[in-house]
Amino acid sequence: MKKFMNTAETMVAESVEGFVRAHEAFVVFGAERKCIRRRHLTSGKVALISGGGAGHEPMHIGFIGQGMLDAACVGHIFTSPTPSQIIAAIEEADTGAGCLLVVKNYDGDLMNFEMAIEMACGRHSLDMVVVSDDIETSRTGESRGRRGVAGTLIVEKILGAAAERGMPLDELKQLGEGLNTRIRSMGVALNGVTVPQTERTTFVLGPGEMEMGVGIHGEPGHARQPFAASDAIIGHLCEAIFGDISVTRGSRALLFVNGLGGTPPAELYLAYNGARRFIEEKAMPIERSLVGTYVTSLDMQGLSITLALLTDEEIALWDAPVATAALHW
């Protein structure tokens, strides 16, 4: 295994320090480096907080800034941050209006964020939105339901814009829960993930194979299939997503093609072209788009497709200004 690192044990801490130093116009460390927060907090605004294991960069730390997150905490690679880290983020970011925690639907994340809320709720007004957009785990019947994957970015962007406009905590939670019912994702990979601590790949594919339905922690999917042309792969993903989302009158579609860490932009745009063509053939015009590497799984050569059906208000919140290290308009 060859990676640009000093040791597996120090990789996350050194990477996070490099991120903060590179983007000091947007972010600073919180006390004892337990979290990262916006350099300039807005008094009286609900704070939006998220976090998760390292290995998914730029999510979540790359989304800290105006119009998105106020703070985030980073665990070890593919490991939830601890309750003490999450409490530190709450203490750093709450300026008087409370905090909404955006949590991906994984057992470790849920357990630690819920524990942090229980420990800090006497001092802060807190609530939580759980993102669960990955159709793979609903297809396989896993008891915890859908995982939270690339759709988390859409939830954080729209909630972040609403918080900037002064939306109170209870309404933000309601907005987030409504969004979650209308965002669906699915991923595919051409290789597994090489985890620095173990120096092993999470799954191994033959030269003519691909893994359909992968997760962002290097989890294998529901099927190992023969490698195919891009349009066939993308069509399979879109067909599954379109069959799992309820299209209602007046819905406005956002299409997000996300790189999982090892896929070049040329291939992502090619995939976007195929996905857009497929969805528009279903009489669903695409009104907003995002293409790039935002929610990764270390060095996985793969991509995910996310379709979000939004209201007029949500489209306006998506369009609202954002200034973070990874997302800016």
Side-chain angles (χ1 to χ4, degrees):
M1 182 189 72
K2 293 189 288 187
K3 287 186 177 293
F4 290 104
M5 65 181 188
N6 296 310
T7 69
E9 292 72 23
T10 62
M11 180 181 179
V12 173
E14 291 178 291
S15 174
V16 171
E17 180 175 1
F19 172 84
V20 172
R21 298 184 72 179
H23 301 291
E24 55 190 10
F26 298 116
V27 299
V28 295
F29 275 116
E32 300 179 33
R33 298 193 172 194
K34 288 186 175 181
C35 68
I36 301 169
R37 67 163 175 85
R38 285 171 67 166
R39 176 169 287 278
H40 303 294
L41 295 169
T42 302
S43 181
K45 181 187 81 68
V46 173
L48 208 63
I49 297 172
S50 193
H56 304 309
E57 291 78 15
M59 188 179 76
H60 298 273
I61 55 177
F63 305 146
I64 300 171
Q66 180 185 359
M68 280 191 86
L69 298 178
D70 293 275
C73 32
V74 183
H76 295 297
I77 290 176
F78 297 163
T79 304
S80 172
T82 64
S84 67
Q85 288 179 275
I86 300 162
I87 292 170
I90 293 168
E91 299 285 355
E92 290 277 343
D94 190 357
T95 62
C99 304
L100 182 65
L101 280 59
V102 180
V103 185
K104 300 185 301 300
N105 189 27
Y106 290 92
D107 292 341
D109 286 359
L110 287 173
M111 180 179 69
N112 287 356
F113 275 86
E114 287 171 350
M115 192 179 303
I117 288 175
E118 185 177 339
M119 295 168 68
C121 66
R123 305 185 302 278
H124 301 270
S125 179
L126 304 171
D127 218 325
M128 182 169 75
V129 167
V130 179
V131 183
S132 53
D133 57 304
D134 185 3
I135 69 170
E136 170 62 18
T137 36
S138 65
R139 287 158 55 94
T140 55
E142 292 192 25
S143 59
R144 69 171 179 262
R146 297 180 179 90
R147 299 175 291 211
V149 289
T152 309
L153 178 155
I154 298 171
V155 174
E156 291 177 351
K157 170 63 184 79
I158 290 174
L159 290 180
E164 293 285 357
R165 295 183 180 185
M167 185 176 285
L169 181 58
D170 59 338
E171 293 182 22
L172 283 169
K173 178 180 172 65
Q174 184 178 5
L175 174 62
E177 290 182 337
L179 273 171
N180 192 51
T181 65
R182 292 176 276 109
I183 302 174
R184 293 291 181 266
S185 302
M186 190 173 175
V188 61
L190 307 183
N191 63 266
V193 177
T194 308
V195 180
Q197 291 96 324
T198 64
E199 299 190 13
R200 295 177 181 173
T201 303
T202 53
F203 58 85
V204 178
L205 296 174
E209 295 179 322
M210 61 183 177
E211 191 77 13
M212 193 67 69
V214 294
I216 59 171
H217 299 99
E219 304 99 327
H222 70 274
R224 189 156 297 180
Q225 298 181 358
F227 181 65
S230 178
D231 279 355
I233 299 170
I234 300 308
H236 181 96
L237 295 176
C238 290
E239 190 72 58
I241 291 168
F242 214 83
D244 196 77
I245 198 167
S246 298
V247 179
T248 57
R249 185 177 233 174
S251 294
R252 303 178 66 182
L254 184 158
L255 176 60
F256 173 25
V257 174
N258 172 66
L260 290 170
T263 306
E267 294 179 31
L268 296 179
Y269 281 109
L270 189 152
Y272 169 84
N273 194 44
R276 179 161 185 162
R277 185 170 57 247
F278 178 95
I279 293 170
E280 290 186 334
E281 285 173 357
K282 299 285 189 179
M284 171 62 68
I286 301 299
E287 298 202 26
R288 297 294 184 275
S289 303
L290 184 66
V291 181
T293 299
Y294 295 101
V295 180
T296 63
S297 183
L298 285 174
D299 58 352
M300 181 181 280
Q301 185 183 358
L303 58 84
S304 63
I305 294 176
T306 300
L307 179 65
L309 302 182
L310 306 179
T311 65
D312 291 347
E313 177 192 12
E314 291 159 358
I315 287 284
L317 292 169
W318 176 262
D319 290 344
V322 58
T324 71
L327 210 61
H328 195 293
W329 59 68

